[in-house]
């Protein structure tokens, strides 16, 4: 019987074809999609790629409003025009399935990969009875061949868990978003979801903590001796009277200060554990300032090229089933890791230091030993981070010297501490360690001369805002979302204009949504509701619960949430409108009907200006993106639109809102010249086209009717 192997992406399909067929595999093309054929004695094996999900959730029927409780899988290209590119891949699977009787899901071995491949087998191939699963953690030829030679049954429980997640996420997202939008009654689309809500609540609560934080003064007392700062053993003193008394006691007895004890002991610091996805995202953010979504995307690329193992893992363990000694040997052939790897080989250090976290599907992230080629700068950096972390976990403990010196000044005690690295051990391999030495000079017991006494007044600091990487780690700690979805959930909150900034701040709009739900429909933002469903989906994957039971449970919880929402819908809408009106940035008056021109956000997260009288007035103007916009109170004498001040990229400038205003003539000329230079010989043609477009735009400058602000 002919076989069809389903890969998740084209690059992986190619690697599977090469691994299984070598030079005998042939490349075929259908509708622009490449697939591969391996001729065997009495059959053929086809390897074809998907491009992620070929199927997506779709509402049954065309019912508007909410609640909507009936959904089904449908080809992605039929559901959204933006996903029409998936049709040609659908067609390839449809054609190849007619030739085959055995089907193998070789998509990533996680819930999403299981759903992608199983849906193709279910709805296109109709071959569940003759379906198998390939399981691999790297895309190296040896691992792919081993997975093919040791096929597993379909991981059907993983599919049921994944399908349940897709159904419940879709139902909660569409129903809650429609409910919010209908409450506001402005045409502005709002969104909230099963995990988005609790995530927004975490950030909003932190925002409230910061806002309500009342700084408390405290005092720190110190003395200087031999250039070393000794801190008062009391630490932070919150009573000014006690601080003054301690300072006076020190001042009176400064000439009688003595070193009472000197303690120095050796300590050992174990290597860091190998990376799981969350720790990789945190470290890449700390070291390189990388966005967690970017880190995952780069790691996925490295995996698809067989340079590292599968990155979507929760494990910090490297089982002995992995050829660790061989990998270290291969890394020794890379000049960048030659010295470190050879030390490990010479000392026969092949047992890794591991962390506590586990993942049944995949081990910790590790390099495969294959020499990377053609990496860009950031890919090289992330590969180096992963590889050095891997090698370092085999290294010897670092040896430190910890010093503690106790000084007595009258009845007051002062302490100085120091750290010296005696033996770097694994630190010499993992160069991204941020441990700083604090080396103390020689001290001996007895009298000591104090050169200075100081007392500083400090204030307690509010809790820190989350960075994106910190928030993802917090979601993992609270068991909200999955390792594969957490970064995307946070990205969605940014796109919806609920949050902003590197140190994440909840926008006034985000606080409006949170406050309304907190007051009137708290269940929607409850961690408990979401965590309960997360645990139930884990139970499905482990075979402890039925899919139908959990879906029904999720629907009932949703209906309870909607019932609570509807009961308070008028109040929710009123409060949101009032709050949004107070927080709107008014840039000036609309030249068409005199309404306020306010800053709005599109579905994609872009900002623009539109009339507050929408939908009666549909005036719309573009705004510079990723910039601070401030109204000036001035109006352009030519186009009569407000003039704004723009702060962007270290530059500050003023501009009116009409992109076709005569004042933009010099801007257009500059853009034409710059683009002409970029196009080389086509410069004249580009400039001619630009002039024609500018001329046409000026003729139409009085037409200020824009697109629907909800676009």
């Amino acid at each position: 019987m002919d076989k069809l192997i389903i890969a998740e992406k084209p690059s992986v399909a190619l690697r599977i074809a090469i691994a299984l067929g070598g030079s005998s595999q042939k490349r075929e093309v259908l509708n622009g999609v490449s697939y591969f054929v391996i001729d065997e004695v009495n059959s053929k094996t086809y390897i074809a790629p998907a491009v992620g999900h070929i199927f997506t959730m779709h509402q049954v029927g065309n019912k508007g409003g909410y609640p909507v409780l009936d959904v089904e899988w449908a080809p992605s290209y039929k559901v959204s025009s933006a996903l029409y590119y998936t049709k040609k891949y659908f067609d390839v699977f449809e054609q190849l399935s007619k030739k085959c009787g055995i089907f193998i899901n070789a998509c990533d071995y996680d819930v999403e990969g299981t759903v992608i491949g199983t849906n193709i087998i279910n709805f296109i191939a109709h071959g569940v009875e003759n379906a198998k699963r390939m399981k691999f953690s790297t895309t190296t030829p040896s691992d792919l061949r081993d997975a093919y030679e040791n096929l597993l049954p379909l991981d059907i429980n993983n599919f049921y868990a994944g399908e349940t997640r897709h159904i419940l996420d879709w139902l909660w997202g569409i129903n809650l978003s429609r409910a919010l939008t209908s409450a506001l009654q402005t045409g502005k689309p709002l969104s909230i979801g099963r995990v988005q809500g609790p995530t927004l609540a975490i950030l909003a609560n932190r925002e409230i903590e910061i806002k309500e934080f009342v700084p408390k003064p405290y005092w720190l007392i110190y003395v200087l001796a031999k250039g070393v700062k000794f801190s008062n053993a009391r630490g932070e003193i919150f009573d000014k009277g006690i601080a003054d008394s301690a300072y006076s006691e020190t001042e009176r007895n400064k000439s009688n200060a003595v070193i009472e004890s000197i303690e120095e002991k050796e300590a050992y610091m174990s290597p860091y554990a190998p990376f799981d996805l969350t720790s990789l995202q945190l470290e890449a953010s700390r070291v390189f300032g990388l966005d967690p979504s970017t880190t995952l995307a780069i790691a996925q690329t490295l995996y698809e090229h067989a340079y590292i193992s599968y990155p979507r893992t929760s494990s910090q363990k490297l089982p002995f089933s992995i050829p660790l000694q061989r990998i270290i040997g291969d890394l020794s052939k890379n000049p960048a890791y030659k010295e470190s790897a050879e030390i490990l080989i010479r000392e026969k250090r092949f047992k890794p230091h591991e962390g506590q976290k586990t993942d049944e599907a995949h081990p910790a992230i590790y390099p495969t030993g294959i020499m990377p080629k053609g990496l860009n700068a950031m890919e090289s950096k992330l590969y180096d981070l992963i590889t050095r972390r891997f090698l370092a976990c085999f290294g010897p403990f670092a040896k430190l010297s910890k010093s503690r010196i106790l000084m007595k000044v009258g009845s007051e005690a002062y302490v100085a501490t120091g750290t010296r690295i005696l033996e770097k051990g694994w630190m010499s391999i993992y160069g991204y360690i941020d441990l700083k030495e604090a080396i103390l000079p020689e001290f001996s017991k007895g009298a000591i001369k104090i050169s200075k006494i100081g007392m500083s007044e400090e204030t307690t600091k509010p809790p820190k805002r989350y960075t994106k990487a910190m928030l993802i780690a917090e979601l993992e700690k609270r068991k909200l979302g999955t390792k594969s979805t957490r970064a995307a959930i946070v990205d969605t909150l940014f796109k919806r204009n609920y949050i902003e900034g590197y140190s994440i701040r909840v926008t006034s709009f985000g606080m409006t949504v949170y406050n309304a739900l907190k007051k009137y429909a708290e269940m929607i933002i409850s961690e408990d509701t979401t965590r309960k469903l997360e645990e139930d989906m884990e139970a499905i994957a482990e075979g402890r619960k039925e899919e139908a039971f959990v879906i029904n449970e999720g629907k009932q919880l949703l209906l309870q949430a909607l019932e609570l929402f509807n009961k308070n819908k008028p109040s929710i809408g009123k409060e949101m409108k009032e709050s949004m009106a107070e927080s709107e940035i008014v840039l000036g008056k609309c030249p068409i009907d005199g309404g306020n021109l306010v800053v709005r956000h599109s579905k994609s997260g872009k900002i623009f200006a539109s009339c507050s009288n929408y939908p009666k007035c549909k005036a719309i103007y573009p705004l510079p993106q990723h910039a601070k916009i401030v109204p000036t109170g001035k109006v352009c004498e030519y186009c009569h639109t407000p003039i704004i001040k723009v702060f962007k990229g270290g530059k500050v400038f003023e501009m009116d809102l009409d992109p076709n205003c005569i004042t933009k003539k010099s801007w257009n000329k500059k853009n034409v010249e710059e683009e002409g230079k970029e196009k080389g010989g086509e410069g004249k043609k580009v400039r001619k086209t630009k002039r024609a477009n500018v001329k046409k735009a000026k003729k139409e400058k009085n037409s200020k009717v824009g697109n629907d602000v909800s676009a």
Side-chain angles (χ1 to χ4, degrees), residues 210-243:
I210 293 171
K211 184 178 180 181
E212 295 180 348
F213 181 81
V214 179
K216 293 182 180 179
Y218 65 89
W219 290 264
L220 297 172
I221 306 173
Y222 64 91
V223 298
L224 293 181
K226 297 179 72 171
V228 175
K229 185 176 182 179
F230 286 74
S231 299
N232 191 282
R234 297 173 184 268
E236 299 172 350
I237 305 173
F238 287 89
D239 186 314
K240 183 65 162 61
I242 294 175

Side-chain angles (χ1 to χ4, degrees), residues 327-514:
I327 292 172
I328 295 172
D330 289 345
L331 290 172
S332 70
K333 300 170 187 175
N334 186 326
Y337 312 111
K338 178 178 170 55
E339 183 178 353
S340 298
E342 285 184 344
I343 291 173
L344 298 179
I345 294 168
R346 186 166 59 249
E347 298 179 1
K348 297 183 178 180
R349 291 186 170 276
F350 303 123
K351 183 178 180 181
H353 177 79
E354 300 175 311
Q356 295 298 314
K357 294 163 66 176
T358 61
D359 186 327
E360 291 184 5
H362 296 284
I365 303 170
Y366 64 90
T368 63
I370 293 176
M371 184 85 73
K373 296 178 182 177
L375 299 185
N376 62 33
M378 197 48 71
E379 288 169 346
S380 295
K381 288 181 178 180
L382 196 68
Y383 176 79
D384 186 68
L385 187 73
I386 292 167
T387 303
R388 291 192 180 281
R389 182 71 158 240
F390 168 79
L391 289 171
C393 77
F394 295 91
F397 281 31
K399 189 176 181 181
L400 310 176
S401 173
K402 299 273 191 179
S403 303
R404 185 179 186 273
I405 302 174
L406 176 64
M407 176 194 296
K408 291 297 289 291
V409 187
S411 61
E412 292 298 310
Y414 290 83
V415 176
T417 59
T419 301
R420 285 186 300 133
I421 301 174
L422 302 178
E423 296 174 10
K424 284 193 169 184
W426 64 273
M427 292 182 186
S428 62
I429 301 173
Y430 189 65
Y432 299 99
I433 186 75
D434 59 355
L435 179 69
K436 292 181 174 62
E437 289 186 294
I439 300 174
L440 299 178
E442 287 282 338
F443 281 92
S444 56
K445 288 184 179 181
I448 184 73
K449 183 178 180 181
I450 292 175
S451 58
K452 182 180 179 181
I453 303 172
M455 182 168 72
S456 62
E457 182 178 349
E458 309 287 341
T459 55
T460 54
K461 300 294 187 290
K464 286 185 178 181
R465 286 189 165 88
Y466 291 101
T467 64
K468 191 174 172 183
M470 289 166 58
L471 179 58
I472 288 170
E474 185 69 19
L475 291 176
E476 180 183 62
K477 179 182 174 183
R478 301 191 190 202
K479 297 183 178 179
L480 299 173
T482 69
K483 54 186 174 287
S484 300
T485 62
R486 292 181 185 115
I489 288 164
V490 179
D491 287 341
T492 299
L493 292 176
F494 276 103
K495 290 176 182 176
R496 298 293 181 254
N497 189 38
Y498 292 161
I499 59 177
E500 63 185 6
Y502 176 78
S503 293
I504 300 174
R505 181 190 302 270
V506 181
T507 64
S508 57
F509 177 50
M511 288 302 298
T512 295
V513 173
Y514 167 76

